mmCIF file of all heavy atoms in Angstrom:
data_model
loop_
_atom_site.group_PDB
_atom_site.id
_atom_site.type_symbol
_atom_site.label_atom_id
_atom_site.label_comp_id
_atom_site.label_asym_id
_atom_site.label_seq_id
_atom_site.Cartn_x
_atom_site.Cartn_y
_atom_site.Cartn_z
ATOM 1 N N LYS V 1 112.540 93.538 122.885
ATOM 2 C CA LYS V 1 111.279 92.737 122.922
ATOM 3 C C LYS V 1 110.173 93.514 123.719
ATOM 4 O O LYS V 1 109.058 93.591 123.350
ATOM 5 C CB LYS V 1 111.575 91.391 123.501
ATOM 6 C CG LYS V 1 110.288 90.454 123.406
ATOM 7 C CD LYS V 1 110.824 89.052 123.861
ATOM 8 C CE LYS V 1 109.721 88.449 124.671
ATOM 9 N NZ LYS V 1 110.108 87.052 125.206
ATOM 10 N N ALA V 2 110.589 94.055 124.895
ATOM 11 C CA ALA V 2 109.652 94.770 125.732
ATOM 12 C C ALA V 2 108.995 95.936 125.009
ATOM 13 O O ALA V 2 107.810 96.242 125.154
ATOM 14 C CB ALA V 2 110.351 95.158 127.043
ATOM 15 N N ALA V 3 109.784 96.691 124.211
ATOM 16 C CA ALA V 3 109.263 97.808 123.468
ATOM 17 C C ALA V 3 108.315 97.291 122.404
ATOM 18 O O ALA V 3 107.240 97.953 122.158
ATOM 19 C CB ALA V 3 110.468 98.558 122.804
ATOM 20 N N ALA V 4 108.591 96.247 121.789
ATOM 21 C CA ALA V 4 107.690 95.688 120.784
ATOM 22 C C ALA V 4 106.364 95.228 121.392
ATOM 23 O O ALA V 4 105.337 95.504 120.894
ATOM 24 C CB ALA V 4 108.354 94.515 120.043
ATOM 25 N N GLN V 5 106.539 94.580 122.582
ATOM 26 C CA GLN V 5 105.285 94.141 123.300
ATOM 27 C C GLN V 5 104.409 95.352 123.709
ATOM 28 O O GLN V 5 103.173 95.357 123.596
ATOM 29 C CB GLN V 5 105.606 93.300 124.556
ATOM 30 C CG GLN V 5 104.528 92.732 125.251
ATOM 31 C CD GLN V 5 104.919 91.764 126.302
ATOM 32 O OE1 GLN V 5 105.953 91.215 126.264
ATOM 33 N NE2 GLN V 5 104.068 91.689 127.399
ATOM 34 N N GLU V 6 105.046 96.394 124.180
ATOM 35 C CA GLU V 6 104.312 97.591 124.579
ATOM 36 C C GLU V 6 103.614 98.262 123.424
ATOM 37 O O GLU V 6 102.494 98.679 123.443
ATOM 38 C CB GLU V 6 105.234 98.538 125.336
ATOM 39 C CG GLU V 6 104.564 99.876 125.774
ATOM 40 C CD GLU V 6 105.435 100.781 126.404
ATOM 41 O OE1 GLU V 6 106.663 100.483 126.687
ATOM 42 O OE2 GLU V 6 105.016 101.945 126.779
ATOM 43 N N PHE V 7 104.369 98.279 122.234
ATOM 44 C CA PHE V 7 103.769 98.940 121.067
ATOM 45 C C PHE V 7 102.558 98.124 120.581
ATOM 46 O O PHE V 7 101.543 98.673 120.187
ATOM 47 C CB PHE V 7 104.838 98.917 119.978
ATOM 48 C CG PHE V 7 104.392 99.538 118.684
ATOM 49 C CD1 PHE V 7 104.410 100.974 118.476
ATOM 50 C CD2 PHE V 7 103.904 98.847 117.626
ATOM 51 C CE1 PHE V 7 104.005 101.527 117.251
ATOM 52 C CE2 PHE V 7 103.569 99.311 116.439
ATOM 53 C CZ PHE V 7 103.579 100.684 116.275
ATOM 54 N N ILE V 8 102.681 96.794 120.604
ATOM 55 C CA ILE V 8 101.569 95.914 120.155
ATOM 56 C C ILE V 8 100.320 96.199 121.109
ATOM 57 O O ILE V 8 99.202 96.356 120.645
ATOM 58 C CB ILE V 8 102.002 94.472 120.185
ATOM 59 C CG1 ILE V 8 102.873 94.207 119.110
ATOM 60 C CG2 ILE V 8 100.760 93.575 120.022
ATOM 61 C CD1 ILE V 8 103.603 92.797 119.060
ATOM 62 N N PHE V 9 100.604 96.201 122.405
ATOM 63 C CA PHE V 9 99.576 96.458 123.364
ATOM 64 C C PHE V 9 98.868 97.798 123.118
ATOM 65 O O PHE V 9 97.643 97.921 123.228
ATOM 66 C CB PHE V 9 100.033 96.254 124.836
ATOM 67 C CG PHE V 9 98.863 96.420 125.770
ATOM 68 C CD1 PHE V 9 97.963 95.403 125.908
ATOM 69 C CD2 PHE V 9 98.733 97.509 126.585
ATOM 70 C CE1 PHE V 9 96.871 95.487 126.814
ATOM 71 C CE2 PHE V 9 97.637 97.649 127.472
ATOM 72 C CZ PHE V 9 96.635 96.623 127.496
ATOM 73 N N ASN V 10 99.678 98.815 122.831
ATOM 74 C CA ASN V 10 99.085 100.140 122.609
ATOM 75 C C ASN V 10 98.345 100.161 121.337
ATOM 76 O O ASN V 10 97.530 101.133 121.042
ATOM 77 C CB ASN V 10 100.248 101.208 122.599
ATOM 78 C CG ASN V 10 100.869 101.422 123.983
ATOM 79 O OD1 ASN V 10 100.151 101.215 124.966
ATOM 80 N ND2 ASN V 10 102.004 101.960 123.998
ATOM 81 N N HIS V 11 98.471 99.219 120.434
ATOM 82 C CA HIS V 11 97.777 99.154 119.159
ATOM 83 C C HIS V 11 96.998 97.862 119.026
ATOM 84 O O HIS V 11 96.663 97.475 117.965
ATOM 85 C CB HIS V 11 98.798 99.272 117.995
ATOM 86 C CG HIS V 11 99.430 100.576 117.896
ATOM 87 N ND1 HIS V 11 100.582 100.928 118.638
ATOM 88 C CD2 HIS V 11 99.063 101.705 117.223
ATOM 89 C CE1 HIS V 11 100.974 102.074 118.304
ATOM 90 N NE2 HIS V 11 100.051 102.683 117.476
ATOM 91 N N ILE V 12 96.676 97.268 120.167
ATOM 92 C CA ILE V 12 96.005 95.948 120.196
ATOM 93 C C ILE V 12 94.690 95.921 119.521
ATOM 94 O O ILE V 12 94.323 94.930 118.927
ATOM 95 C CB ILE V 12 95.937 95.426 121.621
ATOM 96 C CG1 ILE V 12 95.666 93.881 121.653
ATOM 97 C CG2 ILE V 12 94.794 96.153 122.411
ATOM 98 C CD1 ILE V 12 96.887 93.174 121.191
ATOM 99 N N GLN V 13 93.922 97.084 119.480
ATOM 100 C CA GLN V 13 92.690 97.170 118.674
ATOM 101 C C GLN V 13 92.872 96.732 117.241
ATOM 102 O O GLN V 13 91.800 96.304 116.624
ATOM 103 C CB GLN V 13 92.003 98.544 118.896
ATOM 104 C CG GLN V 13 92.617 99.609 118.111
ATOM 105 C CD GLN V 13 93.806 100.189 118.708
ATOM 106 O OE1 GLN V 13 94.272 99.787 119.757
ATOM 107 N NE2 GLN V 13 94.345 101.253 118.093
ATOM 108 N N ILE V 14 94.039 96.855 116.720
ATOM 109 C CA ILE V 14 94.235 96.451 115.304
ATOM 110 C C ILE V 14 94.069 94.888 115.208
ATOM 111 O O ILE V 14 93.636 94.406 114.144
ATOM 112 C CB ILE V 14 95.621 96.895 114.757
ATOM 113 C CG1 ILE V 14 95.717 98.464 114.991
ATOM 114 C CG2 ILE V 14 95.907 96.498 113.370
ATOM 115 C CD1 ILE V 14 94.847 99.289 114.187
ATOM 116 N N PHE V 15 94.548 94.214 116.096
ATOM 117 C CA PHE V 15 94.648 92.769 116.102
ATOM 118 C C PHE V 15 93.524 92.025 116.820
ATOM 119 O O PHE V 15 93.092 90.994 116.428
ATOM 120 C CB PHE V 15 95.997 92.209 116.728
ATOM 121 C CG PHE V 15 97.203 92.824 116.091
ATOM 122 C CD1 PHE V 15 97.885 94.049 116.617
ATOM 123 C CD2 PHE V 15 97.736 92.309 114.925
ATOM 124 C CE1 PHE V 15 99.042 94.451 116.070
ATOM 125 C CE2 PHE V 15 98.827 92.856 114.323
ATOM 126 C CZ PHE V 15 99.460 93.919 114.943
ATOM 127 N N PHE V 16 93.073 92.694 117.854
ATOM 128 C CA PHE V 16 92.135 92.074 118.813
ATOM 129 C C PHE V 16 90.757 92.616 118.600
ATOM 130 O O PHE V 16 90.477 93.749 119.049
ATOM 131 C CB PHE V 16 92.684 92.313 120.176
ATOM 132 C CG PHE V 16 91.981 91.671 121.315
ATOM 133 C CD1 PHE V 16 91.154 90.523 121.231
ATOM 134 C CD2 PHE V 16 92.114 92.254 122.575
ATOM 135 C CE1 PHE V 16 90.560 89.965 122.316
ATOM 136 C CE2 PHE V 16 91.447 91.683 123.688
ATOM 137 C CZ PHE V 16 90.711 90.561 123.521
ATOM 138 N N PHE V 17 89.811 91.888 118.084
ATOM 139 C CA PHE V 17 88.448 92.384 117.715
ATOM 140 C C PHE V 17 87.683 92.866 118.939
ATOM 141 O O PHE V 17 87.036 93.906 118.829
ATOM 142 C CB PHE V 17 87.704 91.280 117.113
ATOM 143 C CG PHE V 17 86.298 91.671 116.750
ATOM 144 C CD1 PHE V 17 86.013 92.444 115.641
ATOM 145 C CD2 PHE V 17 85.187 91.262 117.545
ATOM 146 C CE1 PHE V 17 84.739 92.923 115.357
ATOM 147 C CE2 PHE V 17 83.936 91.623 117.212
ATOM 148 C CZ PHE V 17 83.665 92.466 116.165
ATOM 149 N N CYS V 18 87.811 92.307 120.088
ATOM 150 C CA CYS V 18 87.010 92.590 121.261
ATOM 151 C C CYS V 18 87.284 94.063 121.662
ATOM 152 O O CYS V 18 86.520 94.667 122.270
ATOM 153 C CB CYS V 18 87.243 91.649 122.416
ATOM 154 S SG CYS V 18 86.728 90.035 121.972
ATOM 155 N N LEU V 19 88.455 94.534 121.343
ATOM 156 C CA LEU V 19 88.740 95.900 121.712
ATOM 157 C C LEU V 19 88.618 96.977 120.677
ATOM 158 O O LEU V 19 89.034 98.070 120.872
ATOM 159 C CB LEU V 19 90.215 95.988 122.316
ATOM 160 C CG LEU V 19 90.545 95.136 123.526
ATOM 161 C CD1 LEU V 19 91.966 95.249 123.930
ATOM 162 C CD2 LEU V 19 89.641 95.625 124.678
ATOM 163 N N LEU V 20 88.006 96.584 119.514
ATOM 164 C CA LEU V 20 87.874 97.546 118.439
ATOM 165 C C LEU V 20 86.886 98.639 118.942
ATOM 166 O O LEU V 20 85.864 98.350 119.473
ATOM 167 C CB LEU V 20 87.188 96.891 117.234
ATOM 168 C CG LEU V 20 88.136 95.962 116.343
ATOM 169 C CD1 LEU V 20 87.415 95.354 115.250
ATOM 170 C CD2 LEU V 20 89.314 96.731 115.851
ATOM 171 N N THR V 21 87.265 99.871 118.699
ATOM 172 C CA THR V 21 86.527 100.980 119.127
ATOM 173 C C THR V 21 86.267 101.930 118.021
ATOM 174 O O THR V 21 86.793 101.782 116.933
ATOM 175 C CB THR V 21 87.169 101.751 120.300
ATOM 176 O OG1 THR V 21 88.420 102.226 119.759
ATOM 177 C CG2 THR V 21 87.471 100.876 121.516
ATOM 178 N N SER V 22 85.580 103.030 118.232
ATOM 179 C CA SER V 22 85.274 103.870 117.185
ATOM 180 C C SER V 22 86.463 104.649 116.695
ATOM 181 O O SER V 22 86.421 105.253 115.586
ATOM 182 C CB SER V 22 84.256 104.951 117.676
ATOM 183 O OG SER V 22 84.773 105.649 118.872
ATOM 184 N N HIS V 23 87.587 104.624 117.426
ATOM 185 C CA HIS V 23 88.795 105.312 116.963
ATOM 186 C C HIS V 23 89.606 104.409 115.928
ATOM 187 O O HIS V 23 90.671 104.886 115.550
ATOM 188 C CB HIS V 23 89.635 105.815 118.059
ATOM 189 C CG HIS V 23 90.283 104.865 118.902
ATOM 190 N ND1 HIS V 23 89.720 104.236 119.877
ATOM 191 C CD2 HIS V 23 91.506 104.355 118.699
ATOM 192 C CE1 HIS V 23 90.535 103.392 120.463
ATOM 193 N NE2 HIS V 23 91.725 103.342 119.746
ATOM 194 N N PHE V 24 89.103 103.225 115.663
ATOM 195 C CA PHE V 24 89.772 102.345 114.664
ATOM 196 C C PHE V 24 89.852 103.072 113.415
ATOM 197 O O PHE V 24 88.903 103.618 112.943
ATOM 198 C CB PHE V 24 89.039 101.015 114.596
ATOM 199 C CG PHE V 24 89.730 100.042 113.745
ATOM 200 C CD1 PHE V 24 90.896 99.487 114.165
ATOM 201 C CD2 PHE V 24 89.149 99.579 112.540
ATOM 202 C CE1 PHE V 24 91.522 98.567 113.390
ATOM 203 C CE2 PHE V 24 89.734 98.583 111.827
ATOM 204 C CZ PHE V 24 90.928 98.132 112.302
ATOM 205 N N PRO V 25 91.019 103.126 112.759
ATOM 206 C CA PRO V 25 91.211 104.138 111.620
ATOM 207 C C PRO V 25 90.444 103.745 110.357
ATOM 208 O O PRO V 25 90.232 104.521 109.518
ATOM 209 C CB PRO V 25 92.700 104.095 111.347
ATOM 210 C CG PRO V 25 93.176 102.741 112.041
ATOM 211 C CD PRO V 25 92.223 102.546 113.144
ATOM 212 N N PHE V 26 89.948 102.526 110.229
ATOM 213 C CA PHE V 26 89.272 102.102 108.973
ATOM 214 C C PHE V 26 87.938 101.574 109.217
ATOM 215 O O PHE V 26 87.733 100.598 109.892
ATOM 216 C CB PHE V 26 90.090 101.013 108.288
ATOM 217 C CG PHE V 26 91.534 101.462 108.107
ATOM 218 C CD1 PHE V 26 92.513 100.913 108.886
ATOM 219 C CD2 PHE V 26 91.908 102.438 107.193
ATOM 220 C CE1 PHE V 26 93.828 101.262 108.794
ATOM 221 C CE2 PHE V 26 93.224 102.810 107.103
ATOM 222 C CZ PHE V 26 94.210 102.296 107.878
ATOM 223 N N LYS V 27 86.853 102.336 108.804
ATOM 224 C CA LYS V 27 85.542 101.863 109.058
ATOM 225 C C LYS V 27 85.106 100.965 108.032
ATOM 226 O O LYS V 27 84.617 101.276 106.957
ATOM 227 C CB LYS V 27 84.565 103.153 109.146
ATOM 228 C CG LYS V 27 84.949 104.094 110.304
ATOM 229 C CD LYS V 27 83.973 105.174 110.392
ATOM 230 C CE LYS V 27 84.407 106.116 111.411
ATOM 231 N NZ LYS V 27 84.493 105.669 112.824
ATOM 232 N N SER V 28 85.348 99.665 108.210
ATOM 233 C CA SER V 28 84.947 98.652 107.339
ATOM 234 C C SER V 28 84.629 97.326 108.176
ATOM 235 O O SER V 28 85.000 97.317 109.369
ATOM 236 C CB SER V 28 85.962 98.287 106.268
ATOM 237 O OG SER V 28 87.076 97.659 106.807
ATOM 238 N N GLU V 29 84.220 96.355 107.476
ATOM 239 C CA GLU V 29 83.941 95.042 108.206
ATOM 240 C C GLU V 29 85.303 94.276 108.316
ATOM 241 O O GLU V 29 85.344 93.194 108.933
ATOM 242 C CB GLU V 29 82.913 94.236 107.459
ATOM 243 C CG GLU V 29 81.573 94.895 107.411
ATOM 244 C CD GLU V 29 80.532 94.098 106.680
ATOM 245 O OE1 GLU V 29 80.902 92.950 106.253
ATOM 246 O OE2 GLU V 29 79.466 94.583 106.475
ATOM 247 N N ARG V 30 86.378 94.682 107.765
ATOM 248 C CA ARG V 30 87.572 94.030 107.741
ATOM 249 C C ARG V 30 88.522 94.451 108.844
ATOM 250 O O ARG V 30 88.586 95.643 109.174
ATOM 251 C CB ARG V 30 88.251 94.241 106.358
ATOM 252 C CG ARG V 30 87.496 93.663 105.276
ATOM 253 C CD ARG V 30 88.078 94.009 103.890
ATOM 254 N NE ARG V 30 87.154 93.428 102.879
ATOM 255 C CZ ARG V 30 87.586 92.912 101.775
ATOM 256 N NH1 ARG V 30 88.843 92.913 101.534
ATOM 257 N NH2 ARG V 30 86.808 92.458 100.939
ATOM 258 N N SER V 31 89.186 93.451 109.434
ATOM 259 C CA SER V 31 90.101 93.710 110.486
ATOM 260 C C SER V 31 91.551 93.630 110.010
ATOM 261 O O SER V 31 92.390 94.485 110.435
ATOM 262 C CB SER V 31 89.951 92.715 111.614
ATOM 263 O OG SER V 31 90.916 92.779 112.486
ATOM 264 N N TYR V 32 91.942 92.724 109.210
ATOM 265 C CA TYR V 32 93.233 92.467 108.757
ATOM 266 C C TYR V 32 94.217 92.049 109.838
ATOM 267 O O TYR V 32 95.351 92.054 109.556
ATOM 268 C CB TYR V 32 93.819 93.692 107.940
ATOM 269 C CG TYR V 32 93.037 94.097 106.710
ATOM 270 C CD1 TYR V 32 92.216 95.242 106.732
ATOM 271 C CD2 TYR V 32 93.033 93.278 105.576
ATOM 272 C CE1 TYR V 32 91.493 95.615 105.582
ATOM 273 C CE2 TYR V 32 92.342 93.668 104.415
ATOM 274 C CZ TYR V 32 91.589 94.800 104.417
ATOM 275 O OH TYR V 32 90.864 95.218 103.351
ATOM 276 N N GLY V 33 93.748 91.851 111.039
ATOM 277 C CA GLY V 33 94.650 91.542 112.138
ATOM 278 C C GLY V 33 95.573 90.338 111.908
ATOM 279 O O GLY V 33 96.812 90.506 112.211
ATOM 280 N N VAL V 34 95.080 89.284 111.376
ATOM 281 C CA VAL V 34 95.847 88.106 111.101
ATOM 282 C C VAL V 34 96.838 88.380 109.941
ATOM 283 O O VAL V 34 97.997 87.915 110.026
ATOM 284 C CB VAL V 34 95.026 86.776 110.938
ATOM 285 C CG1 VAL V 34 95.835 85.668 110.544
ATOM 286 C CG2 VAL V 34 94.246 86.515 112.184
#
């Protein structure tokens, strides 16, 4: 579980809009986080 939590935190910009940055891999208005 701890490894899964760390992986999610390291990729949180995929799920968490407020942390979306320019390195987000898909430049579109869609997040798909949910």
Side-chain angles (χ1 to χ4, degrees):
K1 183 174 145 184
Q5 183 173 334
E6 182 180 352
F7 181 84
I8 292 170
F9 184 72
N10 289 338
H11 295 87
I12 200 70
Q13 73 277 3
I14 304 295
F15 303 98
F16 184 25
F17 178 76
C18 295
L19 295 178
L20 287 179
T21 63
S22 60
H23 70 274
F24 187 64
F26 308 106
K27 297 189 184 293
S28 75
E29 295 178 5
R30 297 174 183 216
S31 165
Y32 298 110
V34 174

